[in-house]
Amino acid sequence: MKELLETVVKDCGYTWRQGQVATYIPELAKARADATGIAVCDLSSGLSGAGDTDFAFTMQSVSKVVSLALALSECGEEKVFSAVGMDPLADPFNSIMRLEMDAPHRPHNPLINSGAIVVLSLLPWKESSQRIAAVSAMAARMTGRKAVAVNEAVYLSEKGTSDRNRALAWFLKSVGNLEGDIEDILDAYFRQCSLEVTCEDLAVLGATLAADGTNPVTGERVVSPEVARVVRTIMATCGMYDGSGEFAVSVGIPAKSGVGGGIAAAVPGRMGIGTCGPALDRKGNSVAGLAMLKRLSEELKLRIY
Ligand code: GLU
């Protein structure tokens, strides 16, 4: 496996040149654009990786998988999916347009920004510090790490440039679809996006979902098989922003990307895959990550469709 991953990095790494690092959160603009790494956590043979497996980046939207898994476990499917939908959206992840146009003004799914903010508000903890502690504990259990910490510089940078996310949240409040202390919920959202990981962490996170909720490295049952199934399904339909349909055809694996350049993928019953590559395409997906996942999916026949 390691040899195959090295070939994948060698053959696909150069594609980063076709993308650009996110700049709308100033701290993300400082990322090394050419960092490229991939890791696989195979459910039978364990972890292997190639390229920049030590490169640390913030989870950004990949964290939405973690908070969704937590909310489904704590509140149940019915409560979560009465507050957010489960349908893909052909608009950018931070778009406000549909939220306003489509009654009942409910986020279309839990993996866009408005949906993730609502998901956080459902968690049974009142304070931002308790919410983020619970999300980061869930991230640690899914990745098999002792702790997953917030990158303070990215958090402050995101918080300082958060007009759009604030607009989404306050709009939701104005139509009665977001309850609680809005600034406090937003604070937890900025912190969860700033949780810092490596592609190896994302491989283990993906493997936990691939193994129906049991972390294959620690052996811990983290979420129920039903929660893992629902999360994988939402990843498959909505995980790659407005590029989810194209990704389903070309790669064919449930996956979630983030503007920090990470992608976590879960191949049911087989493996988790994590990639990093901060240079993004216009939809917000890592260019090198997409190329590596496509190649690996072809080589190992991973498509689930
Ligand atoms: N923190 C980012 C934001 O709210 C997350 C976006 C993403 O990774 O899709 O804009």
Side-chain angles (χ1 to χ4, degrees), residues 2-3 8 23 69-70 93 120 123 139 161 164 168 178 181 226-227 230 237 258:
K2 191 165 174 55
E3 224 170 278
V8 167
T23 51
L70 181 63
F93 57 88
L120 268 178
L123 295 177
T161 52
R164 180 70 69 96
L168 290 168
L178 183 61
D181 181 334
E226 174 63 8
V227 166
V230 172
T237 52

Side-chain angles (χ1 to χ4, degrees), residues 24-25 59-62 64 93-94 113 158 165 189 193 241 256-260:
Y24 73 100
I25 299 172
M59 291 181 99
Q60 299 298 331
S61 274
V62 184
K64 294 169 183 167
F93 57 88
N94 56 3
N113 291 10
E158 172 149 1
N165 285 323
Y189 173 76
C193 289
Y241 307 117
K256 179 74 202 98
S257 63
V259 296

